[in-house]
Structures are given as structure tokens and as C-alpha cells.
Amino acid sequence: MTHGTADPATITPEMAAQIRKWRVDEDFSWRAVAQAASELWGSEWGSNQLYGEDLCVAAAKVLREDPYQDPWN
């Protein structure tokens, strides 16, 4: 389920790889992904959990992966 806070069309492959690294390799929560992305890319969403989930969903789509299956969840 997306919440409309992150548009997959705005996620570059490099951004998707960074988001995947945070979520998968560094085991960030959705909140932590949102915070890291907000700090790195200047988003106003801060640590909003729904924004973090949407970022992960958008990044997974860019990478042609399922955000609700391993290794994302």
C-alpha cells in the first residue's frame, strides 16, 4: 500500500540503491529510512513512518523487487 508521499518517478536508481542499503543492509526501520532520506535529500517529512514505507516501496519498484518480501521485510 502506498500513501502517496513518495513518487517512484522521482527516485533515481542511485537513490533506490541508497534506500535499499538503509533498509536491507543496515536494517533501518521505515522511520529511520525517512529520517536518513530527509537529512540527505532535504525532505520536509522528517522521520514520518509512512514516508519511509513509501520510499521503500518506490525504491523497490525502481529495482524491480517486491517491497513486502525478503529482503525488504
Side-chain angles (χ1 to χ4, degrees), residues 15-58:
M15 292 169 79
Q18 180 61 62
I19 293 165
R20 189 182 195 284
K21 179 180 176 192
W22 288 325
R23 180 69 176 162
V24 174
D25 299 336
E26 298 180 18
D27 201 30
F28 278 27
S29 66
W30 285 331
R31 227 177 260 290
V33 168
Q35 186 64 48
S38 293
E39 290 172 6
L40 184 60
W41 297 311
S43 168
E44 297 177 12
W45 287 95
S47 64
N48 182 292
Q49 182 172 340
L50 297 178
Y51 178 58
E53 180 182 4
D54 285 352
L55 284 172
C56 290
V57 169

